[in-house]
């Protein structure tokens, strides 16, 4: 059972059927993350890559994100997110999109820049560095985007040059990190 921590859907709960490789972001970590992002979520375009339970994207919508794209290769998990959204947002007042796809395959498609990207891949997948690279180099991030990463505690994520660490924490076996994409200065 998961619950929304803040925003218009605060306190709402949904069931998530655990499956291999999907590990929902704990409540305490989500609360910390959204405190870090407090002034940036309202009106933001968000990408929940490796969406799993959808906890990060649902929390963003609850807190006023203008759009969330949920990308998840596990069709059963993505359908559960869709069912939750259909119950909570039957008139589709929130702008959201569900995409059943492998994250790296999705990132090879035409880019649409996001203000915030959430990356929480299965820890043993080895996908985090590749996803960060594609986000940066393929045009998926707005100029001053924020990127949230989860990885095993004690592991230092490999991120592209120009990403600055903003905050980091640890909860049990989970390390969580927020990065800021620095504005590019073009030499003339």
């Amino acid at each position: 059972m998961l619950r929304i921590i803040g925003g218009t859907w605060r306190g709402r709960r949904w069931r998530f059927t655990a499956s291999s490789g999907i590990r929902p972001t704990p409540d305490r970590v989500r609360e910390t993350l959204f405190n870090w992002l407090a002034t940036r979520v309202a009106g933001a375009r968000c990408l929940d890559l490796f969406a799993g339970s959808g906890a990060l994207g649902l929390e963003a919508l609850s807190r006023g994100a203008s759009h969330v794209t949920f990308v998840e290769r596990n069709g059963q998990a993505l359908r559960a997110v869709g069912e939750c959204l259909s119950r909570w947002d039957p008139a589709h007042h929130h702008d959201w999109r569900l995409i059943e796809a492998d994250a790296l395959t999705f990132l090879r498609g035409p880019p649409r820049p996001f203000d915030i990207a959430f990356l929480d891949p299965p820890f043993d997948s080895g996908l985090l560095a590749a996803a960060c690279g594609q986000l940066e180099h393929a045009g998926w991030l707005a100029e001053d985007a924020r990127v949230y990463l989860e990885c095993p505690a004690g592991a230092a994520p490999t991120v592209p040059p120009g990403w600055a660490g903003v905050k980091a924490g640890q909860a049990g076996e989970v390390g969580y990190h927020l990065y800021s994409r620095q504005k590019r200065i073009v030499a003339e």
Side-chain angles (χ1 to χ4, degrees):
M1 185 69 81
L2 300 172
R3 71 181 174 95
I4 296 295
I5 305 297
T8 59
W9 294 336
R10 182 173 191 236
R12 292 201 185 187
R13 297 178 185 273
W14 75 103
R15 286 200 187 282
F16 174 72
T17 304
S19 65
S20 176
I22 297 179
R23 169 194 31 75
T25 301
D27 287 2
R28 184 176 62 149
V29 173
R30 271 187 289 126
E31 184 171 15
T32 299
L33 167 64
F34 283 93
N35 284 339
W36 292 347
L37 292 170
T39 61
R40 295 188 160 271
V41 177
R45 287 184 39 76
C46 301
L47 172 63
D48 192 351
L49 199 61
F50 311 101
S53 68
L56 295 170
L58 291 169
E59 191 77 44
L61 284 172
S62 179
R63 293 170 183 253
S66 69
H67 171 84
V68 175
T69 294
F70 297 85
V71 179
E72 174 56 48
R73 70 177 180 181
N74 180 318
Q76 180 182 359
L78 192 65
R79 282 187 294 281
V81 173
E83 289 167 8
C84 183
L85 284 163
S86 293
R87 282 193 314 276
W88 295 356
D89 190 23
H92 208 73
H93 292 295
H94 294 86
D95 185 24
W96 46 268
R97 188 171 170 215
L98 303 173
I99 298 175
E100 185 176 347
D102 170 80
L104 298 183
T105 301
F106 169 77
L107 292 174
R108 285 193 284 274
R112 292 170 299 286
F114 289 95
D115 303 303
I116 300 171
F118 304 108
L119 281 73
D120 180 12
F123 284 173
D124 61 354
S125 69
L127 295 171
L128 191 58
C132 289
Q134 282 189 256
L135 281 171
E136 175 62 29
H137 301 295
W140 286 99
L141 298 174
E143 195 171 90
D144 64 344
R146 295 296 184 266
V147 183
Y148 171 75
L149 310 175
E150 276 188 33
C151 60
T158 302
V159 298
W163 286 19
V166 176
K167 300 265 187 176
Q170 180 177 329
E173 297 179 13
V174 176
Y176 51 99
H177 310 265
L178 183 63
Y179 287 88
S180 171
R181 181 174 188 253
Q182 302 300 296
K183 294 181 180 180
R184 303 261 182 224
I185 299 173
V186 178
E188 292 187 29

